[in-house]
Amino acid sequence: MNYVFKGRLCGLLCSDDCREPLAGVKVRLYRADARESLAVLAVADTNQTFHQVSEEDIKAKSKLLLAETIANENGEFVFNLGEKENYKGEAFDIDFTCGTGFGKPIPPKKITEFQFHLTTLQPQWRERNADNQAEYLFAWEYCIVSKWWCQILQKLDRWVICGKVVDCKTGKPLNGLRVFAYDVDLLQDDPLGSGFTDASGHFKIVYTSADFSKTLLSWLNVEWPAGPDLYFRIESGSGTVLLKEPRSMGHTSARTNAHNCFCVKLCVPDGEVYTTDTPLFTRFGEYKIIGDIDAGGLTAINRTFASGIGFGFFGSVKLVGYATKKVPTDTTRPLFYRFTYSYDGATWNPVTLAQTQQSRLVVGVREIIWNGVQAFQDIVIDPNQPASVADSIPPDGAPGVIPDHVLHQDANGWVRVDQRGIDNGFIGPLLWVNTNVLVPGGSPATPGDAPGNAPLSPKNGRRVFFAYQTTDDPANPASVHFKEQTTKGVIYVNNWEEVRLLQLDELSTGVSGCTPITTHAHVRYTADHELIASWALGIASAAVPGGITITGGSGTVPRGSNNVIDFATPGTVTPAFNTWPSCAYKLSLVTRRKLTNGEYNDDHTGTEIIFCK
């Protein structure tokens, strides 16, 4: 008679939705001996019978071994028992062995095995016919409670963070995001690892005590009595930071000295962008197209990374959003996307290679095998590398560097979404547009412009509108799956440099810079830009340690300022010009434009004149 015993084993980390399969453990069945308490044990709660088996007991019961097998990646196992095992349906003991290499990203070179007893089981066999032969079947599933499973993991030096990421507003789980965990340490913060969220928003990060015990001084281990102090960062697959917790979170009571089984729930602001199956264009850099930018295309809020209200845009700007793998109206068809631009909101042209920043842009990530283990490959748009075969997976080429999976725009600006990305598409930057091509700038100088006077021809920028389109067939404009997002984005672009002119009259008449200027110092300056954040005229010398102040020598009002001043005029500078010691002096004019690329603001630039007094 054949008896088929099917089972599945798992371990609870801290809650019912944070569990993991006992993948790869060895499951052993032992004949139950003639114990008087056998009937009691066969019906006992497994929580009461669970215990570690000593080496002496393992040796003592070795002659009672009925069969053993290895659980698969899902913790599932199957035993076929019959005449060969001299089995006739009686009760048996169930044990499993688990080693120090269990579930670790990098198993130790020397693995220690431990054996644990689960229970004594009397299967309730159910008869069935298989291949015209009678056999008996019994299925059994058991999940070790966290009380015991976490103690086992502690013996294995296996630390696990089990978490869930949701939208802060809706509570909906977020898929395909990468979560990084860190330990706040005295000398340096330790990265503990990262994991990707699945369709239910869950992620898992596995590490060992060595990962949070690192210090700069080998003889000092500041973490030896306790666990790590945790904080987290969340990114999209393309690397856009969606949540960045401060280090101080690691010092809160809920995060300090974290247990080796630690469960956490994190939420992402504005996560609704990533919970929909509809492709969306959402941001210019880090500025949302709705709410963060006014109708004129200027920033309407402050951002910590690029602070300032009323800023225009310049340089290369990332168009950010979500591109699903498939068109929503036919999930068998890969999605293509592109952006179009317009100066008036009526006439539109595609953003093609000629209008993009022709550099490497990471738009996604894919899972591959490299060096025989799990690894991640960047998906990039990069015209400087040959395009990869669509959806192809590279062969294991270790120990070389993992190559990019390269996408190109077609002649009309369309990009095909890679079907092997770990997200449900691309989340984050979708294209990198070079606004210098759309709204050229450069030097604003006009013949006849002179320091001290307003520019003869002040330069201005202009608004640019952007639309987001998707389709399944770029060659067929009439495809029923072609869609254009109703909401358009608009930015005000100004790539002109500042007018920044500076002159010291006493040096402009052929006088050498080494000839001392003693009685007058006539300074002519012009600072102009349509969106000027600040301008400042300065004078400095090692001979005046406390510094020199110029009255009215700075401002923040567009379009800037122009003037002619004489440092020798009383009240113009402090201390007075006639008290300056004989020495070298540096006269400077520094300006900064009120511009951002969506991630960083424009920096200060300046010009200077060196003279002697």
Side-chain angles (χ1 to χ4, degrees):
M1 192 68 67
N2 188 44
Y3 294 86
V4 180
F5 174 41
K6 294 184 177 181
R8 182 167 62 181
L9 296 175
C10 68
L12 288 176
L13 294 167
C14 29
S15 63
D16 190 56
D17 62 347
C18 272
R19 58 176 63 196
E20 59 182 353
L22 270 59
V25 302
K26 185 179 293 183
V27 183
R28 288 174 173 167
L29 304 184
Y30 290 92
R31 300 182 191 278
D33 56 21
R35 288 167 283 177
E36 294 181 1
S37 58
L38 180 59
V40 176
L41 292 173
V43 297
D45 186 343
T46 309
N47 292 338
Q48 304 299 320
T49 59
F50 183 88
H51 64 270
Q52 183 177 348
V53 183
S54 66
E55 291 187 12
E56 292 78 9
D57 287 343
I58 294 174
K59 291 178 181 178
K61 62 193 295 187
S62 61
K63 294 181 180 180
L64 299 175
L65 183 64
L66 178 62
E68 66 180 24
T69 190
I70 303 296
N72 66 15
E73 67 273 10
N74 297 317
E76 300 169 341
F77 59 87
V78 178
F79 285 98
N80 286 283
L81 307 173
E83 294 181 2
K84 180 181 177 182
E85 292 79 17
N86 191 26
Y87 180 74
K88 300 178 181 179
E90 65 272 18
F92 48 69
D93 291 344
I94 306 177
D95 290 12
F96 74 92
T97 65
C98 194
T100 50
F102 175 81
K104 292 181 180 177
I106 304 177
K109 294 181 179 179
K110 184 179 179 181
I111 295 178
T112 303
E113 294 281 347
F114 302 95
Q115 184 160 323
F116 303 91
H117 174 69
L118 289 173
T119 191
T120 301
L121 184 66
Q122 174 58 69
Q124 302 300 307
W125 298 108
R126 178 170 53 86
E127 187 175 1
R128 71 170 184 177
N129 289 321
D131 298 327
N132 296 320
Q133 291 185 352
E135 70 175 13
Y136 292 91
L137 176 68
F138 180 69
W140 182 75
E141 181 176 353
Y142 181 68
C143 212
I144 303 171
V145 296
S146 58
K147 171 185 175 181
W148 300 120
W149 183 235
C150 292
Q151 285 190 38
I152 292 173
L153 294 183
Q154 219 165 26
K155 292 182 70 71
L156 306 180
D157 189 27
R158 184 170 180 269
W159 296 65
V160 185
I161 298 170
C162 180
K164 184 175 184 179
V165 181
V166 300
D167 178 287
C168 290
K169 294 180 181 177
T170 67
K172 191 172 181 180
L174 302 178
N175 181 25
L177 305 185
R178 192 173 188 180
V179 184
F180 296 81
Y182 300 89
D183 166 43
V184 179
D185 210 342
L186 178 64
L187 301 179
Q188 62 179 13
D189 288 357
D190 300 317
L192 301 178
S194 66
F196 288 94
T197 59
D198 60 19
S200 64
H202 284 93
F203 68 91
K204 188 167 67 175
I205 299 172
V206 178
Y207 57 105
T208 69
S209 59
D211 293 316
F212 62 86
S213 302
K214 301 170 186 175
T215 65
L216 296 177
L217 305 176
S218 59
W219 49 268
L220 175 63
N221 183 354
V222 298
E223 293 278 10
W224 69 266
D229 305 326
L230 299 172
Y231 69 100
F232 298 91
R233 186 177 85 249
I234 301 177
E235 297 180 356
S236 70
S238 59
T240 299
V241 178
L242 307 177
L243 175 70
K244 185 177 182 181
E245 290 189 336
R247 296 178 69 254
S248 58
M249 283 296 295
H251 294 304
T252 60
S253 58
R255 300 284 188 83
T256 300
N257 296 332
H259 195 268
N260 70 303
C261 292
F262 183 81
C263 288
V264 65
K265 187 174 182 179
L266 305 170
C267 78
V268 171
D270 302 323
E272 66 272 9
V273 171
Y274 307 106
T275 63
T276 177
D277 291 328
T278 303
L280 286 173
F281 166 38
T282 59
R283 299 173 187 261
F284 292 101
E286 296 295 338
Y287 284 93
K288 291 182 287 186
I289 65 173
I290 301 175
D292 289 3
I293 299 173
D294 65 25
L298 301 177
T299 60
I301 67 167
N302 276 304
R303 290 289 191 184
T304 56
F305 48 83
S307 60
I309 296 175
F311 276 58
F313 287 76
F314 78 120
S316 293
V317 177
K318 293 175 182 175
L319 307 181
V320 178
Y322 181 35
T324 54
K325 286 184 179 179
K326 309 290 186 183
V327 291
T329 45
D330 184 349
T331 55
T332 67
R333 306 279 291 174
L335 181 132
F336 293 76
Y337 69 88
R338 74 173 179 181
F339 289 87
T340 60
Y341 69 95
S342 171
Y343 299 113
D344 57 10
T347 303
W348 296 85
N349 295 290
V351 178
T352 63
L353 177 63
Q355 290 86 36
T356 63
Q357 170 65 31
Q358 297 179 25
S359 302
R360 179 179 182 270
L361 176 67
V362 178
V363 293
V365 67
R366 58 223 308 266
E367 186 176 347
I368 63 171
I369 299 299
W370 202 260
N371 200 26
V373 298
Q374 180 193 49
F376 298 99
Q377 179 187 35
D378 286 337
I379 305 169
V380 305
I381 298 175
D382 187 357
N384 299 312
Q385 298 188 64
S388 302
V389 176
D391 306 329
S392 62
I393 292 291
D396 191 335
V401 176
I402 298 175
D404 290 333
H405 183 77
V406 182
L407 309 178
H408 284 178
Q409 293 175 276
D410 71 9
N412 294 310
W414 292 102
V415 177
R416 181 182 182 276
V417 176
D418 180 71
Q419 301 297 293
R420 292 185 176 270
I422 62 163
D423 301 333
N424 187 38
F426 298 159
I427 301 174
L430 299 178
L431 204 63
W432 208 351
V433 62
N434 183 358
T435 68
N436 287 287
V437 178
L438 302 180
V439 185
S443 173
T446 300
D449 281 349
N453 299 330
L456 297 176
S457 177
K459 303 299 190 296
N460 297 313
R462 67 188 306 182
R463 288 192 306 175
V464 183
F465 297 85
F466 289 89
Y468 183 47
Q469 299 177 340
T470 60
T471 188
D472 67 325
D473 187 1
N476 179 19
S479 169
V480 296
H481 302 301
F482 173 86
K483 300 291 180 185
E484 180 174 279
Q485 183 172 317
T486 303
T487 304
K488 308 298 190 290
V490 58
I491 53 176
Y492 190 88
V493 178
N494 189 319
N495 283 301
W496 290 106
E497 298 172 7
E498 308 96 306
V499 174
R500 191 174 53 254
L501 304 175
L502 182 64
Q503 176 178 305
L504 182 58
D505 285 356
E506 280 68 24
L507 294 183
S508 61
T509 56
V511 177
S512 167
C514 294
T515 302
I517 296 173
T518 56
T519 56
H520 293 277
H522 293 88
V523 176
R524 300 175 184 270
Y525 68 90
T526 301
D528 177 88
H529 191 273
E530 179 190 20
L531 296 171
I532 201 162
S534 63
W535 65 271
L537 192 65
I539 185 76
S541 174
V544 188
I548 300 170
T549 301
I550 302 174
T551 302
S554 63
T556 59
V557 179
R559 298 194 52 111
S561 179
N562 57 276
N563 203 355
V564 180
I565 60 175
D566 182 1
F567 285 166
T569 301
T572 302
V573 293
T574 305
F577 178 72
N578 60 7
T579 66
W580 296 2
S582 296
C583 194
Y585 289 80
K586 180 175 72 175
L587 173 66
S588 61
L589 177 61
V590 177
T591 57
R592 182 169 68 90
R593 298 174 297 177
K594 211 170 184 179
L595 297 175
T596 180
N597 65 5
E599 296 175 283
Y600 304 100
N601 285 349
D602 183 38
D603 204 357
H604 295 84
T605 54
T607 187
E608 59 186 38
I609 295 173
I610 305 297
F611 67 95
C612 293
K613 181 181 182 299

